[in-house]
Amino acid sequence: MKILLTLLGIGVVFVGLLYVVNYFAPPVPRISTVITEMRELGRLETAEFTMQSIVNSDTYQGNILQDALFGDKILLVAHGVVVAGIDLSNIAEKDVKISGTSLKITLPAPILFSTTLDEGKTHVYDRKTGYLTPGETNLESDARDQALESIRKSACDGAILEKARTSAKDRITQLYQLAGFTSVEVVVPVGTCK
């Protein structure tokens, strides 16, 4: 009987310890995801640039003393990807002309589809705050915005839309030649970065 009561007591203590441990454990987050929008895409992605940008951003206070007490500086190393191509959903019937085994197709001008940061490679390299400030809450997000704009501009300066235009002409020509057209002319206007 003593053994049974001892085992019962050990069981109660064990269950009690599990309860206490679970009571003080951090809560497990419950995540719900809801689709808010769906749309069909007709994108032909024909160029992708991967780039790095280093952003040095600060809240300059005006003089050395104010800067040492209230300043905030951040050095962000950002890796980004810019994707460009042709939106095929904008092709109309008038843009396609077929005569026997000859084809002439006019595609829309290339556009930038997306500019994104690779969060796995983007990081704050250094951050210094003044002695009397907790730091500017938006400084890092502002630096990320500056990095995105810098990466987008660099891709435009690096002729991403011209690369997308040339690649689209090559891919569409190859596709229709494989489909049996002996003469394929693909016209793609020059795009402009926005």
Side-chain angles (χ1 to χ4, degrees), residues 56-67:
N56 189 2
S57 186
D58 61 42
T59 58
Y60 181 65
Q61 299 296 321
N63 66 45
I64 295 173
L65 179 61
Q66 286 179 320
D67 211 32

Side-chain angles (χ1 to χ4, degrees), residues 59-191:
T59 58
Y60 181 65
Q61 299 296 321
N63 66 45
I64 295 173
L65 179 61
Q66 286 179 320
D67 211 32
L69 295 176
F70 305 107
D72 193 0
K73 297 178 183 179
I74 191 169
L75 183 63
L76 180 79
V77 177
H79 289 261
V81 178
V82 182
V83 178
I86 308 293
D87 187 354
L88 297 175
S89 65
N90 291 328
I91 296 176
E93 192 175 321
K94 66 177 179 49
D95 297 326
V96 180
K97 294 180 177 47
I98 299 174
S99 176
T101 60
S102 296
L103 168 72
K104 179 179 179 184
I105 184 167
T106 303
L107 299 176
I111 58 173
L112 294 179
F113 287 137
S114 64
T115 304
T116 57
L117 292 181
D118 181 341
E119 295 300 333
K121 295 180 180 176
T122 298
H123 62 279
V124 174
Y125 182 78
D126 188 29
R127 183 152 189 184
K128 294 179 183 169
T129 58
Y131 293 109
L132 300 178
T133 182
E136 175 65 37
T137 56
N138 294 329
L139 191 61
E140 184 176 344
S141 62
D142 291 345
R144 287 175 177 272
D145 290 344
Q146 291 172 22
L148 275 172
E149 180 57 28
S150 172
I151 288 168
R152 186 201 65 77
K153 184 178 181 327
S154 294
C156 288
D157 292 346
I160 190 171
L161 292 183
E162 183 56 33
K163 176 66 176 162
R165 179 177 174 268
T166 304
S167 184
K169 285 176 79 169
D170 293 345
R171 297 291 78 81
I172 296 296
T173 299
Q174 182 182 32
L175 176 69
Y176 283 109
Q177 285 174 340
L178 290 172
F181 287 93
T182 56
S183 172
V184 179
E185 181 185 352
V186 180
V187 178
V188 184
V190 175

